[in-house]
Amino acid sequence: MTPLYAAPEQVRGEPVSAVSDVYALGVILYQLLTGAMPTAREGVPLTTLAEVVSSETIEPPSRVVSTLHGHGRWNASALRGDLDLVVVTALHSDPSRRYRSAAALGEDLDRLLRGLPIRARPDNWRYRVSKFLRRHRYAAGGIALALLSLAVGFSAALWQAQRAREAAAQAERALAQSERSKQFLVDLIGTANPLVSEHGSKLDVRTLLLDAAERLQTELAEDPAAQAELKIAIGANLQSLGESAQALTLLQSGLAQMRSILGDESAAVANAWMQLGRAQQGVGDLASAESAERRALALFQRLPGDQRAMLISVRTSLAKLAGLRGDAGAALDQHQAILADRMAWLGANDPALAVDYNNTAAQLVALGRYAEAEAAYNRAYQLLRERFGEQHPRLAFVVAGQAACAIALGQLDQAQQLVNQGLRLAESALAPNHELQGSLRLIQARVFLEQGRAAEAEQAGRQALAIYAASSHPHIVNAATRLALALARQSKWDQVDDLVALARPVAARLPAEPQSALAALISCRDYARGEPAAARHLSDALDALAAAPSGYRQVRVELLGCAIQAATESAPDAVESWRARLAQLQAEQPGSPPSASR
């Protein structure tokens, strides 16, 4: 159950049915129309959610939009009346008062667009007459105008007629614009009906958004403002689901449209820059991502009003970029500063702090500070569990980090259990190519390596490599080194070239250290084949990694494992020297100067 989209009866543990799905579709429709959620369930613990649901009231979309001072997706007058009633009916707390199915909801939206009376309203004569007048506005206007001419004279009537024609034309344009926007939503809702959908089955949110993204490229062309906002909203959600390539296309197009309509000085444009940066990060274009995020940061800093939440979001993106570039120390400082700022703003127990604890812990892991990382991960898990319960997919991010800590602390059985838990949570909600799935497979490969299960480690490593290769994610270098170690343990040196070739285009866009890691893999292969200069080249590459800001600690550990395996095959007398170097690295305190010993 996803609390924000769950029908009241589902929250209360009562039987669910097709009308429960109608409620979820109503939430999506409400979001697309207003940019807001229909309920205030955000942050409510599951233990008290049923009590909150019992007192919920749904504010009509037009009333919500009217409070946005013109910044909503549509004018309030375009939503008021029938469309308000359609949405409120879909979200009714009583299942018997909702639409009986997604098809019934779609039918009423279609009737609304064609100017026909909707099913959700009683068929009284005043309502049917008002519908007739709206369908035949010009004829009705002519009758009124004729009566007016008799009252005020011929010349005045001519002037009024001109004004009436101008007003009618303007209203017609506005109506056509809003109806095109709403037609897109009608069609989107319709795709959730398995009886009329091309898919022939009930769609999940990811498929629904992918369908919407494809259609948005050509639909709503005559309503660029609504098209731009929908592109940004759908693109941001696709990015969060791991569909970075599709999200990037939508966000680039939506941002260009939005800037042409609003200019550069608006919160909507600033948010679009931020979302674009996240998608660029997702496909491994770190330079463009940083440029986009810094533009968003500068915009939010200039905008009036309380922008703290958005500023924290942008700063978080920039801190993650520092970590992806290998500067774990700088990333840690930034995440800790964000954690302190959010805590000062929201208090020490706000669930939003879970993100900051998790990000801080990830950089502590990169620096080898596992005890501190474990404490931060545990606090993040506690906050998320209190907010969402035990089965929410966001917990998978924290569980992955807890597993990495457990490995470093020698708790392999605990690490295996955590990896399995993380995979179950991630697979229940996220796309197969989501970067979290890659992270979990990498951690799983490491557990298998520690347990001496090289073949299984290879399988998990290949799964991680495929995920990162599909999106050109920077972690492909980490996947390549771990997979190489699994191959080395099986003396499969002939396969190293292929994985280096796969990772090299991504590494070329990163700082020099990831390229040194790939060079070290080639040196390990050559060393295993007995090439004389390979050991020196390998040692030089390891020194280059050690000199990086974060030291690439875990990458060096795995490369030294490859070196030991290579020496075992080609230079047995050198094995103890490589083992000593590995033991020295593992014994170093985090943050201490790297040893240059060979």
Side-chain angles (χ1 to χ4, degrees):
M1 179 184 72
T2 304
L4 293 178
Y5 295 85
E9 65 272 17
Q10 188 176 5
V11 172
R12 293 191 294 265
E14 299 169 3
V16 297
S17 63
V19 295
S20 305
D21 293 335
V22 168
Y23 186 94
L25 291 172
V27 175
I28 294 172
L29 182 59
Y30 197 101
Q31 283 183 286
L32 291 171
L33 291 170
T34 68
M37 293 297 291
T39 61
R41 300 179 188 177
E42 188 81 16
V44 177
L46 286 178
T47 53
T48 60
L49 187 58
E51 181 181 347
V52 171
V53 165
S54 66
S55 60
E56 283 178 343
T57 58
I58 303 299
E59 194 84 356
S62 63
R63 198 173 302 166
V64 173
V65 170
S66 68
T67 67
L68 299 179
H69 307 292
H71 297 295
R73 291 188 171 92
W74 287 280
N75 187 279
S77 62
L79 308 181
R80 193 174 294 118
D82 283 355
L83 189 52
D84 271 347
L85 186 59
V86 167
V87 176
V88 171
T89 300
L91 292 171
H92 205 289
S93 60
D94 183 352
S96 67
R97 298 288 300 277
R98 285 183 221 134
Y99 292 100
R100 64 186 183 277
S101 65
L105 170 57
E107 179 187 351
D108 235 4
L109 286 169
D110 182 62
R111 294 179 65 82
L112 185 151
L113 288 175
R114 291 189 287 124
L116 299 172
I118 61 173
R119 306 293 188 192
R121 174 169 291 189
D123 296 333
N124 60 58
W125 70 269
R126 291 185 180 86
Y127 178 59
R128 289 190 175 277
V129 168
S130 73
K131 277 295 175 184
F132 174 84
L133 292 176
R134 289 169 76 176
R135 290 203 303 276
H136 304 283
R137 59 174 64 84
Y138 298 117
I143 294 170
L145 188 59
L147 294 174
L148 179 63
S149 68
L150 291 174
V152 302
F154 183 74
S155 60
L158 289 177
W159 179 80
Q160 290 285 357
Q162 177 64 25
R163 291 292 302 274
R165 282 193 295 271
E166 292 173 357
Q170 183 178 3
E172 185 70 20
R173 287 192 297 270
L175 180 63
Q177 187 177 49
S178 66
E179 287 184 349
R180 283 191 296 270
S181 304
K182 287 182 283 188
Q183 181 63 60
F184 181 85
L185 300 178
V186 172
D187 293 342
L188 182 63
I189 295 294
T191 62
N193 180 1
L195 298 180
V196 300
S197 168
E198 292 181 2
H199 297 272
S201 60
K202 183 177 177 179
L203 302 186
D204 58 21
V205 173
R206 173 177 166 270
T207 306
L208 197 66
L209 289 173
L210 287 171
D211 284 354
E214 183 176 351
R215 288 174 35 221
L216 260 182
Q217 300 296 347
T218 54
E219 297 185 25
L220 293 178
E222 297 179 16
D223 194 350
Q227 187 185 48
E229 285 202 80
L230 284 169
K231 284 180 179 179
I232 299 302
I234 293 173
N237 279 285
L238 284 173
Q239 165 59 25
S240 70
L241 291 173
E243 301 290 346
S244 297
Q246 292 88 340
L248 183 59
T249 300
L250 271 185
L251 290 166
Q252 288 172 328
S253 176
L255 174 60
Q257 284 181 285
M258 195 170 282
R259 293 178 70 194
S260 69
I261 297 166
L262 301 178
D264 280 330
E265 297 297 318
S266 76
V269 170
N271 176 64
W273 277 116
M274 179 179 71
Q275 301 298 345
L276 176 64
R278 291 176 178 176
Q280 289 167 329
Q281 173 188 313
V283 299
D285 188 356
L286 303 191
S288 296
E290 180 164 6
S291 175
E293 297 293 353
R294 293 205 177 279
R295 292 193 69 159
L297 182 66
L299 270 172
F300 281 125
Q301 288 172 334
R302 292 197 301 268
L303 289 170
D306 187 353
Q307 302 293 341
R308 282 179 293 187
M310 301 309 296
L311 286 168
I312 283 177
S313 292
V314 181
R315 288 168 58 199
T316 299
S317 295
L318 288 167
K320 287 183 177 180
L321 285 168
L324 287 171
R325 288 194 303 268
D327 195 349
L332 175 62
D333 290 343
Q334 292 176 50
H335 283 305
Q336 287 178 327
I338 293 167
L339 173 60
D341 289 347
R342 201 192 306 256
M343 190 179 294
W345 175 29
L346 301 177
N349 297 310
D350 193 279
L353 296 172
V355 173
D356 306 317
Y357 278 112
N358 187 69
N359 291 334
T360 297
Q363 300 311 314
L364 289 167
V365 168
L367 293 168
R369 295 161 60 175
Y370 300 112
E372 295 170 79
E374 184 179 37
Y377 277 130
N378 289 344
R379 179 57 176 154
Y381 189 92
Q382 178 187 14
L383 290 169
L384 288 176
R385 184 184 59 196
E386 290 174 357
R387 177 175 179 177
F388 296 115
E390 297 279 359
Q391 301 304 317
H392 198 279
R394 286 183 63 179
L395 287 168
F397 289 89
V398 181
V399 169
Q402 289 176 316
C405 287
I407 295 170
L409 297 172
Q411 303 164 355
L412 296 183
D413 290 341
Q414 174 71 4
Q416 185 65 66
Q417 292 174 14
L418 288 166
V419 167
N420 292 339
Q421 178 189 356
L423 286 170
R424 283 195 303 271
L425 291 169
E427 290 168 354
S428 70
L430 301 178
N433 63 337
H434 195 283
E435 66 176 89
L436 178 59
Q437 304 262 30
S439 296
L440 286 163
R441 292 299 177 186
L442 267 185
I443 296 167
Q444 185 181 50
R446 189 174 168 195
V447 172
F448 288 146
L449 284 169
E450 295 288 340
Q451 294 173 334
R453 299 157 65 182
E456 292 166 279
E458 179 188 347
Q459 182 181 3
R462 289 194 183 280
Q463 289 175 296
L465 191 71
I467 290 170
Y468 292 134
S471 61
S472 298
H473 196 281
H475 285 169
I476 193 172
V477 176
N478 304 69
T481 56
R482 193 153 301 168
L483 177 55
L485 180 54
L487 294 172
R489 295 274 179 87
Q490 303 171 81
S491 297
K492 295 182 177 180
W493 295 106
D494 58 321
Q495 299 182 30
V496 168
D497 282 346
D498 290 340
L499 66 92
V500 169
L502 192 62
R504 185 165 278 152
V506 179
R509 299 201 301 266
L510 301 174
E513 290 81 11
Q515 299 177 54
S516 296
L518 297 180
L521 289 179
I522 295 297
S523 296
C524 283
R525 180 208 62 191
D526 294 342
Y527 192 22
R529 293 174 177 173
E531 297 189 15
R536 178 172 54 82
H537 292 158
L538 174 57
S539 189
D540 289 343
L542 288 166
D543 287 344
L545 288 169
S550 68
Y552 283 84
R553 184 185 182 90
Q554 186 57 37
V555 171
R556 283 191 291 150
V557 167
E558 290 169 358
L559 286 171
L560 283 167
C562 290
I564 292 169
Q565 184 65 38
T568 300
E569 297 179 22
S570 66
D573 293 343
V575 169
E576 289 305 316
S577 174
W578 290 111
R579 284 180 175 163
R581 187 167 179 175
L582 175 59
Q584 185 173 4
L585 171 60
Q586 293 172 326
E588 285 177 359
Q589 291 298 314
S592 63
S595 170
S597 67
R598 303 192 179 236

